[in-house]
Structures are given as C-alpha cells and as structure tokens.
Amino acid sequence: MPTAIELLREGRTNEIWRKYCGFIDLNMEQFMEIQKRLLMEQVELQSRCELGQKILGETPPKSVEEFRERVPLTTYEDYADYLDSKNVAGLPEKPDYWIRTSGRTKGQNFKWAPYPKRFLELGTRLALASIVFSCAKKRGDFPLEADDRFLYAMAPPPFISGMLPYGIVAEFPFRFMPTVEEAEKMSFQERTAKGFELALREGLSVFFGLGSVLVRIGDQFSDSSRNMKLSKNMLHPAVLSRLIRGLIRSRLAKRPMIPADLWEMKGIISAGTDTAVYRQKIKYYWGCEPIEMYGGTEINFIATQTWDHTGMTFVPDTGFLEFIPEAEHLRSREEPGYQPKAVLLDEVQAGEKYEFVVTNFSGGTFIRYRIGDLIKIISLRNENLGIEIPQM
C-alpha cells in the first residue's frame, strides 16, 4: 500500500484521506464486522503462544460470543512475569519495540508493552488521521503540504509519543524541528528552545503533544516577551521580520506577544487527558483549537476527534473494544473477584459511562485488558458530520 508521501507526490490527496480518515464513513454494521473478524484472527495468533494459552485456556474460543463468555478480564499483573523480564518467547509475536509507561501499584513503578512493527503502524495511522482532521474544514479536505513544519515536543523513546515521529516521517514528509534524531539527545528545555529557534526562522505548521506542554510554552512565551532582548539568533532577516509582525499584532491587541502572533498554525493535536481542561487556553495562545486523541501505551491509539471538535470517533482495527457499564465497574471494585459484564460498541447507550476493555490486534499482547479509564458515550452518532459510530 503506498504511503502518504507517494500519494502526495502523485497528487492523489483523495486517496490519502480515504486511507487514513475513511473509518469515519463506516456504518455500525461494517465497524462491528471488522472488529469481530480481526478479533478471531488475533485469537488464532494468541492460541499459539504460551501467554495466550494461559489466558485463553487450553481450548481457544471458536467465536466472539465464546471469547466474551470464557476469557477472563485481565490487568497488567497477569502479564508481568513475561513483560517485566521481556520474555519474548512467550509472546504472540516478536516485538520490534518495547514501550514504557508508568502506573504500577506494586513492584516496579512502570509497565512495559511489546509492540510489533505492524501494531505501531496502527497508532501512526491514527496519529496522521488526527493531524489531517486538525487541519481540515470539511470531509475530504487535505490542506497539508510536504515540508510543513512540525514542532517536536514529545517525550522520547521508550515512551509511545517518542516512537510516533519515526512512523510519521516514514508516511508523510513533515519537517520536524528539531529533527527526531537531534531531539532524542536533548532535554525538554533544549528541544523546546531549539524548536522555537528554528520556528522563528522557518515557520511552524503543526504541533503534537500534551495540552499542558502547549500551555506551559504559551505561558513562558508570554512572560519572556515582556522583557525580550535581541540575541544573535534574532538578527536573521526572517526572524526579525516575524518578530516585528508579532509585536505589531500584540500591540494592536494590547497584550503581551503570544505564539499566535508569530505563527498561523494549521493544526494542533493533543493526546493528554488534560486537553479538555486546557482547550480554551490553548486556543488563546496558539490561535487554533486542538484535536484530542485517546489511547494508552498498552492499547495504542483508538479514538480521535474530527474537525468539529466534539466527541471522539473510534477506529475499528487497533483493538477489540468492550465497555463495562458504570454499575458493573463499581460492583467489581466493591467485590474483589467479581467479573463484570461488558457490552460491545453497538450496545452502548448515549449519556452512560463505561470502563474500557481492549484486546490488541496485529500481534499485540493484551487480551480483554482493563485500563481503568472511565469514558462517557455522549451520542450514538455525530449528526452534524454524518458519522454513524458512537461518540466518546
């Protein structure tokens, strides 16, 4: 399958949209058909490895219904003996990457998630979809161009955000500032300073990172602009021109200079759960409302907002999605050992809260995995955009 780079060179932007964003055109029946087919493929793969056999049982389930009836819900401790020691032999597929996250309640204070290359590519694809949605004004709109400038403000490997740039640059010709290779050798402060030095000279189009980071950068920028002093780097003609334009805009607005005075952003993508808290402040500082993605290290990315900035839409092919109703979730907390009942996406109800349960696809490791996150289904479809998939 051609990459976005190849399609862009040939002017086939409609195909780029379909490849990365086409999932929003699925109806519920099509979505569930993909889910169930990929689940049984993953069960077959898991049934051939030691860890999969431990969870699935000696006789693997033959149907989706049997899978949901027989296979227990799991947490990280069900995998810890294999993953803490990086025991590749017991896994369904040899990982190309080991991704790290925090959140353990006992033993080590972090968790490891093994990622085969094809599993990471799923996350990359949704990240690119979110980038497209963040810039789009309507369905099929593709305003991205080769060499659009991308501010690097992500945590480096082995965190998942640090793995995405490698996949993104393999798919689309963004210019990361600083480059991915340079950024990994720098501290957060060094990366930010270098990124802004380059952005002042060359421009800035896209940001991908945590909402709190965007706000912190905006706060620091606003504070420093009050007592800005010319440095050697600022004497570059392109930098001086940009700063003068920004200064004029800020003076006309009667406030300190902010990033929106210097750059007209095409899109901002935020993957943190703090996005809703900081949304308005991000829009103020950067002149662009962020698109929110949802995911986690153990489950990859599984949902994103679209260009109307309302609910998030699920993707069908990252993992098998199940939802524990809030009442069942609470009962399982009160009664240790109780196995709560879960529903599928075509059974959720608008206005209800659910705990996520995810089974990885494409060689991932986790089966009926409880992340612990509670989400709310705000509607069963996006009426405004004609999206038939429930909105989170």
Side-chain angles (χ1 to χ4, degrees):
M1 183 178 292
T3 64
I5 295 173
E6 295 165 334
L7 294 171
L8 187 66
R9 287 172 183 159
E10 297 172 13
R12 296 155 63 186
T13 54
N14 286 342
E15 292 183 46
I16 298 178
W17 177 275
R18 285 198 297 271
K19 176 179 179 180
Y20 298 100
C21 307
F23 66 91
I24 67 170
D25 295 321
L26 295 171
N27 60 37
M28 198 68 255
E29 183 179 352
Q30 292 167 330
F31 189 101
M32 294 308 302
E33 182 180 336
I34 294 170
Q35 284 268 284
K36 293 175 181 180
R37 173 175 56 80
L38 293 178
L39 173 64
M40 296 317 297
E41 289 180 8
Q42 183 71 11
V43 167
E44 171 64 24
L45 183 65
Q46 287 277 13
S47 68
R48 299 198 296 265
C49 76
E50 182 179 328
L51 179 55
Q53 292 167 2
K54 172 187 170 185
I55 295 170
L56 296 175
E58 294 183 4
T59 305
K62 303 298 183 185
S63 67
V64 172
E65 292 72 24
E66 189 178 347
F67 171 83
R68 297 179 63 214
E69 289 173 4
R70 281 184 36 206
V71 178
L73 301 172
T74 65
T75 64
Y76 187 82
E77 298 311 315
D78 293 299
Y79 307 85
D81 289 344
Y82 294 84
L83 303 188
D84 287 350
S85 61
K86 297 184 179 179
N87 178 6
V88 174
L91 303 182
E93 196 166 306
K94 184 178 179 180
D96 295 278
Y97 314 98
W98 285 90
I99 312 296
R100 176 176 163 173
T101 187
S102 58
R104 293 285 287 278
T105 56
K106 58 183 178 180
Q108 300 184 56
N109 62 359
F110 57 86
K111 299 175 282 188
W112 288 105
Y115 270 59
K117 182 180 179 180
R118 62 191 183 117
F119 189 52
L120 183 64
E121 287 173 348
L122 295 174
T124 298
R125 196 169 72 228
L126 185 58
L128 276 166
S130 295
I131 293 169
V132 173
F133 290 144
S134 74
C135 304
K137 305 300 181 189
K138 60 183 179 179
R139 199 182 235 93
D141 186 20
F142 190 83
L144 293 172
E145 301 172 285
D147 291 329
D148 272 342
R149 274 65 170 177
F150 203 125
L151 181 64
Y152 193 114
M154 308 173 196
F159 298 100
I160 190 169
S161 61
M163 302 303 302
L164 286 178
Y166 288 100
I168 290 172
V169 296
E171 288 283 326
F172 194 85
F174 289 113
R175 182 181 297 183
F176 277 89
M177 301 185 305
T179 66
V180 176
E181 293 76 13
E182 289 176 320
E184 288 186 4
K185 300 173 185 176
M186 299 176 175
S187 67
F188 174 77
Q189 290 78 10
E190 291 170 333
R191 289 198 304 274
T192 303
K194 182 64 175 179
F196 275 108
E197 178 186 329
L198 294 168
L200 284 171
R201 185 181 304 176
E202 301 179 24
L204 182 61
S205 307
V206 182
F207 175 92
F208 188 122
L210 295 175
S212 56
V213 171
L214 266 175
V215 171
R216 186 159 75 247
I217 292 172
D219 286 340
Q220 293 172 351
F221 196 95
S222 180
D223 291 341
S224 63
S225 71
R226 299 174 190 271
N227 301 299
M228 186 177 291
K229 297 179 181 179
L230 285 177
S231 66
K232 182 179 178 180
N233 291 331
M234 292 180 181
L235 297 178
H236 189 283
V239 176
L240 277 175
S241 176
R242 191 179 302 278
L243 287 172
I244 291 170
R245 290 198 305 271
L247 185 60
I248 291 171
R249 289 172 180 168
S250 67
R251 291 289 172 84
L252 289 172
K254 298 180 181 180
R255 53 159 171 71
M257 190 158 51
I258 57 176
D261 295 324
L262 299 178
W263 300 286
E264 293 184 8
M265 300 292 290
K266 284 189 175 182
I268 293 175
I269 306 90
S270 179
T273 54
D274 57 5
T275 303
V277 176
Y278 293 119
R279 181 176 298 277
Q280 293 307 313
K281 204 165 186 181
I282 292 170
K283 187 175 181 180
Y284 165 73
Y285 276 139
W286 295 86
C288 183
E289 188 170 357
I291 285 284
E292 185 175 359
M293 287 180 68
Y294 175 77
T297 300
E298 303 100 300
I299 62 172
N300 212 328
F301 290 107
I302 59 175
T304 181
Q305 284 183 315
T306 52
W307 62 96
D308 69 348
H309 298 91
T310 55
M312 286 181 271
T313 301
F314 299 98
V315 290
D317 54 357
T318 303
F320 186 72
L321 309 177
E322 297 179 81
F323 303 83
I324 299 173
E326 185 176 22
E328 287 284 298
H329 162 81
L330 294 173
R331 181 178 173 184
S332 70
R333 293 180 61 179
E334 295 168 357
E335 300 178 25
Y338 175 71
Q339 283 282 306
K341 298 176 178 61
V343 299
L344 300 182
L345 187 59
D346 59 355
E347 300 170 311
V348 297
Q349 299 296 316
E352 296 297 319
K353 296 176 184 177
Y354 299 90
E355 179 191 346
F356 254 135
V357 174
V358 181
T359 299
N360 296 157
F361 291 155
S362 293
T365 295
F366 298 98
I367 302 171
R368 301 202 81 198
Y369 188 76
R370 299 183 71 172
I371 316 157
D373 289 352
L374 280 175
I375 61 96
K376 184 177 182 179
I377 300 297
I378 62 172
S379 64
L380 297 184
R381 67 190 303 272
N382 184 322
E383 297 282 353
N384 183 44
L385 302 184
I387 298 174
E388 301 293 334
I389 303 167
Q391 301 290 290
M392 177 183 121

